[in-house]
Amino acid sequence: VDYSDVLAALLGLHVHNDLGLSSARRDKGLMKTAVANAGLRVAKFARLTAQDGSDVPNAIKSLELDFPVVVKTPRGMSTMDVYICGSMEEAVRRSGQIVRSVGPDGKKANYSLLEEFLVGSE
């Protein structure tokens, strides 16, 4: 996605995506921030970087989240590495696992996303 945006701009095509938001199309954390900055509501979320998941409890408390919570990779596709966690222990384990992992695009995740679980049909 990033390369096609740059290539389209370099070729002078009149229709291409905003280069300033290219990274947000492949990074769920940046995407959520861009959506919130556009004035739309998003589920509460935090970027977590501790390789052992030790930052999960403080983030859950600070966001005032109840279980279940969602922990997911920022660079995954579809529901790959997306976990609905029913306990603190599971959320800590999954967050640490994601932060230490390499995504399907071959890039290190660097952080996990902790999100509010929204009830409803997809």
Side-chain angles (χ1 to χ4, degrees), residues 21 24 28-42:
L21 293 174
K28 295 175 184 177
L30 294 175
M31 185 184 304
K32 289 180 76 71
T33 300
V35 169
N37 287 342
L40 300 172
R41 295 184 331 179
V42 296

Side-chain angles (χ1 to χ4, degrees), residues 29-118:
L30 294 175
M31 185 184 304
K32 289 180 76 71
T33 300
V35 169
N37 287 342
L40 300 172
R41 295 184 331 179
V42 296
K44 295 178 192 175
F45 73 100
R47 290 185 187 90
L48 306 176
T49 58
Q51 290 193 0
D52 62 357
S54 60
D55 48 1
V56 170
N58 284 339
I60 287 175
K61 182 179 180 181
S62 128
L63 293 173
E64 300 178 343
L65 299 180
D66 294 318
F67 287 96
V69 296
V70 177
V71 177
K72 63 184 176 183
T73 183
R75 298 192 61 86
M77 297 171 219
S78 184
T79 58
M80 177 181 277
D81 289 333
V82 176
Y83 305 100
I84 298 172
C85 302
S87 69
M88 186 68 73
E89 295 77 21
E90 183 181 11
V92 166
R93 181 171 52 86
R94 293 298 191 183
S95 180
Q97 173 187 336
I98 289 168
V99 172
R100 295 186 308 270
S101 72
V102 173
D105 59 358
K107 295 181 180 179
K108 186 165 177 356
N110 292 322
Y111 71 92
S112 69
L113 270 176
L114 170 72
E115 294 183 349
E116 172 183 24
F117 179 78
L118 299 177

Side-chain angles (χ1 to χ4, degrees), residues 3-18:
Y3 297 120
S4 62
D5 290 343
V6 172
L7 184 59
L10 290 173
L11 290 172
L13 300 179
H14 295 288
V15 179
H16 61 81
N17 292 315
D18 179 349

